[in-house]
Amino acid sequence: MCGIVGYIGNKQAYNILIKGLKRLEYRGYDSAGIAIINQGCKIFKKQGKVSELDALVKSKNLHGTIGLGHTRWATHGEPNDTNAHPHESMHKKFIIIHNGIIENYTRLKKRLEDRGYKFKSDTDTEVLVNLIEYIYIKGKLDAETAVRLALSKVVGAYGLVIACTDEKDKLIAARKGSPLVIGVGEQEYFLASDATPIVEYTKSVIYLHDDDMAVIGRNGMSLRNLKSTKIHKKPIIQKLELDVDKIEKNGFAHYMLKEIHEQPRSIKDTFRGRLRPDVNALKLGGLHYVMKDIIHAKRIIIIACGTSYHAGLVGEFLIEEFGRIPTEVEYASEFRYRDPIIYESDIVIAISQSGETADTLAAIELAKSKGATVVGICNVVGSSIPRATMGGVYTHAGPEIGVASTKAFTTQVTVLIMMAMEIGYKNGAIKEEQYSKLIKELSLIPEKISTILKQGDYIKEISAIYKDATNALYLGRGYLYPVAMEGALKLKEISYIHAEGYPAAEMKHGPIALIDENMPVIIIATKDKSYEKIVNNIQEVKARKGIVIAIVTEGDNTISSMADHVVEVPDTEFALAPLLTVIPLQLFSYYIAVMRGCNVDQPRNLAKSVTVE
Ligand code: G6P
């Protein structure tokens, strides 16, 4: 939700900022803006993509070695040039870029209006920059003090960077609830919402924590906690484990397609150092200190949003089947607001690709406040959720830039499979023989995914037939029901076709009324104990002239003779089938979206990282 980037150093800032914004565009793409501070301050803002801003500004030859850039996902005020960031204060003393929400902005705005302040935009951010200026002028303060005092009056979330035209050689950055990273170079500093705009310049980074405020000059910086009386904190410089080629498209037409194809590799990265089929072993080091509590837990609660929630649903089945511990899955946004019953003995597993989803973070804090043990499954190293939890497992999927999650889902499920096996093995719910079999089968998954990916052209042909569909229904049973939900979500997100994912047996209680000769029904029906039942479901669809696209186990002649199209996936343990069956669904949505002319990597109204509630 909004990407912010800042630079202070000895290079020209414009190219660094615009390149950084392009890297951060997955966080928001309804408008973008840039400010370069030289003798004065030049600000350019444009509704639309970063490329449109670049086309507007490039020819202007902006000079200056300090600057700010922002790509927006609108919360307050429609996406237009005026509401785009950076925002400047009324007397032009301060310029700000902000990611987050100022919840008490209406009250603050009214107070400022009573004191003569006028506003150009509808944003909460313009209120904040004017509040800082008001405090600065009225109190005859320095910029740092004015920012600190203004932030003490703010309720809400922010990752922000501020420049002051009276104190030109510095940038001030602060965070509460929205991520911010500082890249430390040679006499230069980079600021960004995540490390992707920074990695090609430096691998030394400082992750700001909540309530941190940094004052950054060309030759040094200081860090303080906004709440504490102690003025300075020692910045902890960390080494960035990220390579530039991991954030390029590397010849693929879209990030989403690249990320779909990366899955054999990303799952191997999830295994690395953990799954050892050669010695029949599994180790999850990040859970070492909490595993004892987990295996004896009376209840596990999984919290997540979006695709991560679907991975959580698979996790529920896994943990109950292999660990025999009652498990519940909840949308973090529901969990946090309904005063849930949480016991100190509960284990809460928070799943998040970004590690920054606001609702998931708030749900974690709630669970912690009730004494539960909270662990995380996250992709982005050093993000807020791993820092807020007591242990966890990184998926190590590498940066996921396409807004529609693909490799995040399969790597999260991979971690959940390993967790469930580990729990079951340690608490005696599964025996050596089954454990060994699962280890072996799991280790074969990357190769099996590679064989499914080879069917890309065939799936593209099927997609071409249904690209103009207006509705689609996805059905699955057991482990494949969450896969049906995930398949439907993918189609909705990127091709804007209405789609629903349902447990196949529930079809009879509603969705069957929708089925006619125009309705593609995607049925995920690999061989398992409910296979016969799903064959019946296929017949029910066919009896109503519905179109059936079936995802089946290799060599399945029964369904092949009934369905309009079949996509085969290699055989595996049923519990591992989500990892294989989701791949054709990802490709199906991708090709349909491309054929419909949709912007696959940046679907309308969505953002990769939802850092607002
Ligand atoms: C957004 C993204 C989804 C993602 C969800 C949860 O809606 O567009 O792809 O699944 O947030 O994000 P998280 O980073 O917590 O997994």
Side-chain angles (χ1 to χ4, degrees):
M1 296 263 118
C2 299
I4 63 183
V5 56
Y7 176 76
I8 178 164
N10 41 32
K11 299 193 181 87
Q12 289 302 317
Y14 180 74
N15 284 340
I16 294 171
L17 296 176
I18 214 81
K19 211 167 169 186
L21 288 182
K22 286 181 181 163
R23 295 241 190 265
L24 289 176
E25 208 168 13
Y26 73 91
R27 299 179 68 89
Y29 32 83
D30 60 40
S31 50
I34 216 151
I36 299 289
I37 294 118
N38 200 341
Q39 300 308 330
C41 171
K42 292 217 164 83
I43 300 179
F44 294 91
K45 310 200 279 189
K46 184 100 188 79
Q47 180 178 352
K49 300 271 176 332
V50 175
S51 55
E52 292 170 54
L53 174 75
D54 195 19
L56 171 81
V57 184
K58 209 177 214 153
S59 58
K60 305 213 175 335
N61 255 330
L62 282 188
H63 286 290
T65 53
I66 304 179
L68 309 174
H70 188 275
T71 178
R72 180 168 186 247
W73 186 91
T75 55
H76 293 75
E78 65 175 89
N80 59 29
D81 294 357
T82 315
N83 287 336
H85 299 215
H87 288 285
E88 194 177 29
S89 58
M90 196 169 85
H91 300 293
K92 300 187 184 302
K93 298 276 184 204
F94 289 89
I95 303 106
I96 190 170
I97 47 174
H98 167 222
N99 169 25
I101 289 184
I102 308 302
E103 286 169 16
N104 57 339
Y105 86 105
T106 323
R107 196 160 47 83
L108 295 172
K109 188 173 185 177
K110 172 82 181 53
R111 285 197 197 159
L112 288 166
E113 280 171 340
D114 291 347
R115 287 160 179 79
Y117 267 85
K118 300 244 177 313
F119 294 86
K120 295 183 210 148
S121 77
D122 309 315
T123 63
D124 50 344
T125 305
E126 196 190 2
V127 175
L128 176 58
V129 75
N130 279 315
L131 176 67
I132 295 167
E133 185 184 81
Y134 173 74
I135 291 172
Y136 173 80
I137 294 174
K138 179 139 192 290
K140 297 194 176 69
L141 301 168
D142 59 273
E144 179 182 345
T145 312
V147 171
R148 187 168 55 79
L149 290 178
L151 290 178
S152 71
K153 301 190 185 316
V154 157
V155 178
Y158 48 79
L160 49 83
V161 186
I162 295 162
C164 175
T165 48
D166 288 342
E167 299 176 28
K168 282 206 184 74
D169 277 340
K170 69 170 69 146
L171 291 175
I172 299 173
R175 98 156 246 178
K176 184 180 182 189
S178 299
L180 208 48
V181 189
I182 301 175
V184 183
E186 287 285 321
Q187 297 187 315
E188 61 182 349
Y189 290 89
F190 307 81
L191 292 123
S193 301
D194 69 35
T196 54
I198 295 175
V199 61
E200 61 195 277
Y201 307 107
T202 175
K203 296 240 168 170
S204 302
V205 292
I206 299 162
Y207 292 98
L208 290 196
H209 292 215
D210 273 354
D211 295 314
D212 275 356
M213 180 166 108
V215 180
I216 304 158
R218 289 175 215 271
N219 295 316
M221 61 166 282
S222 66
L223 192 64
R224 63 170 297 150
N225 184 299
L226 283 165
K227 280 189 178 157
S228 101
T229 45
K230 207 169 130 207
I231 302 293
H232 291 295
K233 286 178 73 178
K234 194 172 157 31
I236 299 171
I237 299 182
Q238 299 187 21
K239 187 120 192 74
L240 201 57
E241 309 258 341
L242 182 69
D243 293 318
V244 177
D245 71 321
K246 291 213 172 118
I247 50 174
E248 303 285 358
K249 281 192 207 142
N250 293 342
F252 285 92
H254 297 96
Y255 281 112
M256 183 182 178
L257 188 61
K258 176 191 171 218
E259 287 156 9
I260 290 172
H261 279 267
E262 272 174 353
Q263 289 174 106
R265 205 225 59 222
S266 56
I267 291 177
K268 280 188 196 156
D269 287 342
T270 310
F271 290 161
R272 205 174 303 287
R274 295 167 175 158
L275 191 78
R276 297 279 313 274
D278 52 333
V279 288
N280 195 28
L282 176 59
K283 188 174 153 209
L284 296 173
L287 296 179
H288 182 71
Y289 293 105
V290 283
M291 205 35 143
K292 223 166 92 202
D293 296 329
I294 299 178
I295 61 177
H296 298 302
K298 294 258 174 312
R299 179 172 74 154
I300 292 179
I301 304 168
I302 299 177
I303 47 172
C305 301
T307 287
S308 301
Y309 171 81
H310 296 155
L313 288 175
V314 180
E316 175 189 10
F317 296 158
L318 288 162
I319 295 170
E320 293 208 340
E321 177 172 356
F322 299 125
R324 302 308 295 159
I325 297 175
T327 305
E328 296 165 17
V329 193
E330 287 215 45
Y331 286 114
S333 53
E334 289 295 317
F335 179 81
R336 61 176 290 204
Y337 288 116
R338 66 170 186 81
D339 193 16
I341 298 165
I342 306 167
Y343 301 111
E344 285 186 6
S345 58
D346 283 340
I347 303 293
V348 173
I349 304 175
I351 309 177
S352 172
Q353 187 286 130
S354 62
E356 300 292 350
T357 301
D359 282 322
T360 311
L361 266 165
I364 289 171
E365 292 310 326
L366 174 71
K368 280 179 15 187
S369 72
K370 308 264 181 181
T373 301
V374 186
V375 299
I377 298 177
C378 282
N379 188 33
V380 179
V381 176
S383 56
S384 301
I385 290 177
R387 290 211 304 257
T389 46
M390 300 148 184
V393 186
Y394 279 117
T395 52
H396 293 311
E400 190 182 64
I401 293 168
V403 166
S405 245
T406 51
K407 62 178 179 170
F409 176 79
T410 46
T411 52
Q412 287 164 349
V413 171
T414 301
V415 169
L416 286 159
I417 292 168
M418 294 193 288
M419 271 178 91
M421 288 165 60
E422 193 66 348
I423 295 169
Y425 187 58
K426 291 215 159 105
N427 70 10
I430 55 172
K431 299 283 167 280
E432 182 83 37
E433 196 189 334
Q434 191 181 8
Y435 183 69
S436 311
K437 186 156 184 243
L438 283 165
I439 288 181
K440 183 163 172 291
E441 280 297 328
L442 190 55
S443 71
L444 300 175
I445 290 291
E447 287 318 310
K448 292 184 179 178
I449 293 180
S450 298
T451 67
I452 301 169
L453 290 170
K454 290 192 185 123
Q455 300 183 66
D457 287 343
Y458 168 59
I459 295 167
K460 191 173 174 182
E461 282 168 27
I462 305 175
S463 311
I465 304 170
Y466 300 105
K467 70 175 177 29
D468 296 320
T470 45
N471 294 292
L473 183 63
Y474 287 70
L475 302 174
R477 279 173 176 266
Y479 282 104
L480 304 180
Y481 149 52
V483 175
M485 292 181 71
E486 176 59 10
L489 177 64
K490 289 293 85 95
L491 194 69
K492 275 188 276 218
E493 278 182 310
I494 60 170
S495 69
Y496 319 138
I497 294 174
H498 170 247
E500 297 203 40
Y502 249 80
E506 280 295 301
M507 175 183 69
K508 286 200 267 303
H509 301 286
I512 199 162
L514 299 170
I515 294 173
D516 62 15
E517 62 281 8
N518 300 315
M519 172 79 132
V521 183
I522 298 93
I523 305 189
I524 309 132
T526 54
K527 290 233 161 102
D528 78 289
K529 58 179 188 279
S530 54
Y531 177 77
E532 295 305 327
K533 304 267 179 232
I534 206 150
V535 169
N536 293 341
N537 296 139
I538 292 176
Q539 275 163 344
E540 286 155 7
V541 174
K542 287 312 298 173
R544 280 142 191 100
K545 299 195 171 29
I547 303 151
V548 172
I549 304 167
I551 314 297
V552 300
T553 308
E554 245 162 29
D556 181 331
N557 298 323
T558 314
I559 294 182
S560 303
S561 63
M562 291 190 283
D564 297 84
H565 312 275
V566 289
V567 179
E568 294 191 344
V569 299
D571 194 14
T572 187
E573 286 286 304
F574 188 48
L576 312 188
L579 295 173
L580 302 183
T581 49
V582 76
I583 310 291
L585 306 186
Q586 295 169 344
L587 287 168
F588 184 64
S589 326
Y590 170 77
Y591 286 122
I592 287 191
V594 171
M595 287 176 212
R596 287 166 72 94
C598 301
N599 187 337
V600 170
D601 283 334
Q602 294 170 355
R604 69 183 179 207
N605 305 337
L606 296 179
K608 183 80 186 149
S609 185
V610 181
T611 52
V612 294
E613 300 174 347

